[in-house]
């Protein structure tokens, strides 16, 4: 996955912008890991919209071994 192959300079680059707020790769990965911290393997249902929460939920599931 793309988050495993990034270099240390990528973390500070802008990953997405929502409502005028810029989120770096590091910001999104930290939020996504916090969302699923301590969750065991399983299936996650994500109600999708065009927003930061959907991106965080989806990437968090993938990064933590869950099936979105």
């Amino acid at each position: 996955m793309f988050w495993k192959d990034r270099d240390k300079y990528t973390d500070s680059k802008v990953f997405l912008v929502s409502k005028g707020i810029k989120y770096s790769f590091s910001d999104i990965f930290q939020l996504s890991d916090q969302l699923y911290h301590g969750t065991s393997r399983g299936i996650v249902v994500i109600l999708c919209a065009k927003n930061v929460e959907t991106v965080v939920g989806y990437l968090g599931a993938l990064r933590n071994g869950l099936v979105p």
Side-chain angles (χ1 to χ4, degrees):
M1 292 295 182
F2 72 92
W3 58 81
K4 293 180 181 177
D5 296 331
R6 69 187 199 280
D7 59 31
K8 64 181 178 180
Y9 303 106
T10 303
D11 281 347
S12 62
K13 291 184 180 179
V14 175
F15 182 80
L16 63 88
V17 178
S18 177
K19 299 177 183 175
I21 301 171
K22 295 179 182 180
Y23 295 90
S24 68
F25 280 82
S26 179
D27 294 335
I28 295 297
F29 296 152
Q30 286 177 9
L31 289 170
S32 66
D33 291 343
Q34 289 172 3
L35 180 63
Y36 293 109
H37 178 73
T39 303
S40 61
R41 294 188 61 97
I43 298 172
V44 177
V45 177
I46 302 170
L47 180 60
C48 296
K50 294 180 181 177
N51 58 28
V52 173
E53 293 82 6
T54 297
V55 173
V56 167
Y58 184 72
L59 287 178
L62 293 177
R63 285 172 55 88
N64 288 280
L66 303 168
V67 178

